[in-house]
Amino acid sequence: MSENNPPMHSDSMPAVWPDPEEGQIEVLLLGTYHMDNPGLDEVNVTADDVLTATRQAELQELVDRLEPFAPDRIGLERPWDRDDALNDTYAKYRDGEYVYGEEYDYESVHSDRNEPGTECRSEVVQVGFRLADRLGHDRVFPIDEHPPDSGDDPFEDRDRDSARKTGVPLLDSEEMQRRSDDQLAASTIPEYLAWRNQEVRLRQNHLLMFDRGVRATGEAFGSPLALSYWYDRNIRIVRHLWEAIEEGDDRAMIVVGTGHIRVLRHLLTEAPMFCPVSPLPYLE
């Protein structure tokens, strides 16, 4: 078998997830959809209400499946400088002052989103808070950070036709969204996350990004800038995860949009202190 085509453990779990070396922190990468419908991604899944009794039972099942990994730290896709606000809210959930179906101070916890929303529906609360509470963690860790504004829009050329030179068609983001919506409607949340974290789906996001980032033509430097922005953001996520680690920690977990998983897997593989872990054994 060619070295360029690694063997597969199964149709959905590739052999590229490395085995941990002595002293490395294992990091389970749970790729998820944004359950509160913020509409900030290239492909935005139309999420139904996770506060229904059926979806709440599925989220309990999801946490049941993830609990055996027993991470020492849980990193969440929220701005790292909103740590106090996020953990104030988490403490209220733990104390019973809030429940999973109530809103909290959205703006103080995540001020960089476009519109306020019902944050209690987000995966941060429904998965991150819920699992951390189950494990008895006294805090969670916001690890997201957007690179500083360069004055240019790194995504200004997202509509440019990158197939002009090669004739190879672009991936259809609308079709990707339709398939995702249909899959979610037909699945439980654990089933849907297993589907999203399969290698073919993880690769689709990066095919879309690199297609536009490398093949786009024209004078503007927007597409390479978009890719560098994306890697910069994810490198910052890895950095903030490392800042959360304490002596004696063996395992950590990141709950993040699925689009981040492929690049985070690469970065965590290269970082000598970490070893990425696939979520699929806990989902399938």
Side-chain angles (χ1 to χ4, degrees):
M1 183 174 292
S2 168
E3 293 182 359
N4 294 325
N5 296 288
M8 303 290 287
H9 293 314
S10 69
D11 289 340
S12 57
M13 187 165 59
V16 296
W17 297 88
D19 293 327
E21 298 178 3
E22 185 175 356
Q24 287 185 323
I25 308 287
E26 297 182 46
V27 183
L28 191 148
L29 294 174
L30 179 66
T32 182
Y33 66 107
H34 296 309
M35 298 177 180
D36 55 340
N37 287 311
L40 299 180
D41 294 332
E42 181 71 17
V43 178
N44 294 289
V45 176
T46 306
D48 60 313
D49 191 353
V50 295
L51 301 187
T52 65
T54 298
R55 290 304 198 193
Q56 285 292 296
E58 294 168 3
L59 285 161
Q60 290 285 6
E61 179 189 350
L62 174 64
V63 169
D64 289 343
R65 292 176 178 228
L66 295 170
E67 185 179 6
F69 181 72
D72 300 297
R73 312 285 159 194
I74 297 178
L76 302 174
E77 192 181 349
R78 288 294 181 269
W80 68 277
D81 57 356
R82 298 292 188 269
D83 183 278
D84 290 344
L86 185 66
N87 277 290
D88 284 349
T89 304
Y90 173 59
K92 291 177 181 179
Y93 275 94
R94 293 204 74 201
D95 293 342
E97 184 174 343
Y98 291 161
V99 295
Y100 289 110
E102 293 182 351
E103 296 186 36
Y104 65 76
D105 187 355
Y106 186 94
E107 286 298 325
S108 69
V109 173
H110 201 349
S111 62
D112 62 342
R113 285 198 169 177
N114 293 335
E115 297 290 343
T118 308
E119 178 70 346
C120 67
R121 289 176 168 82
S122 79
E123 65 281 0
V124 166
V125 173
Q126 294 297 328
V127 181
F129 280 17
R130 196 186 297 263
L131 179 59
D133 188 17
R134 174 82 65 87
L135 294 170
H137 291 188
D138 60 4
R139 60 176 303 199
V140 292
F141 297 87
I143 59 174
D144 197 10
E145 181 184 359
H146 290 259
D149 185 2
S150 65
D152 297 320
D153 178 4
F155 303 101
E156 63 185 353
D157 62 350
R158 65 171 65 233
D159 295 326
R160 184 174 297 165
D161 180 7
S162 66
R164 283 183 290 177
K165 285 188 175 182
T166 65
V168 177
L170 284 169
L171 289 170
D172 187 342
S173 58
E174 292 184 1
E175 175 65 14
M176 290 170 62
Q177 178 169 341
R178 186 191 64 77
R179 290 183 181 180
S180 293
D181 287 351
D182 290 347
Q183 187 70 32
L184 177 59
S187 305
T188 67
I189 290 176
E191 290 170 346
Y192 182 63
L193 294 187
W195 182 81
R196 283 187 68 102
N197 281 274
Q198 291 173 353
E199 188 66 14
V200 63
R201 249 71 64 186
L202 299 181
R203 181 156 173 76
Q204 279 179 342
N205 182 77
H206 268 223
L207 285 174
L208 188 64
M209 294 186 68
F210 274 81
D211 196 341
R212 290 175 171 169
V214 174
R215 292 201 295 167
T217 59
E219 296 179 0
F221 201 64
S223 286
L225 183 61
L227 284 177
S228 63
Y229 178 95
W230 179 241
Y231 272 81
D232 188 353
R233 180 181 172 191
N234 283 279
I235 290 169
R236 291 166 190 262
I237 289 174
V238 173
R239 167 66 180 180
H240 290 306
L241 176 65
W242 175 243
E243 291 172 336
I245 298 298
E246 296 184 2
E247 186 176 356
D249 288 351
D250 298 313
R251 291 173 300 279
M253 177 178 168
I254 296 177
V255 181
V256 70
T258 311
H260 291 266
I261 298 302
R262 192 172 173 89
V263 61
L264 284 175
R265 181 176 69 191
H266 169 69
L267 295 173
L268 291 170
T269 300
E270 296 301 315
M273 68 288 289
F274 289 126
C275 179
V277 176
S278 171
L280 290 178
Y282 299 90
L283 299 174
E284 294 183 330

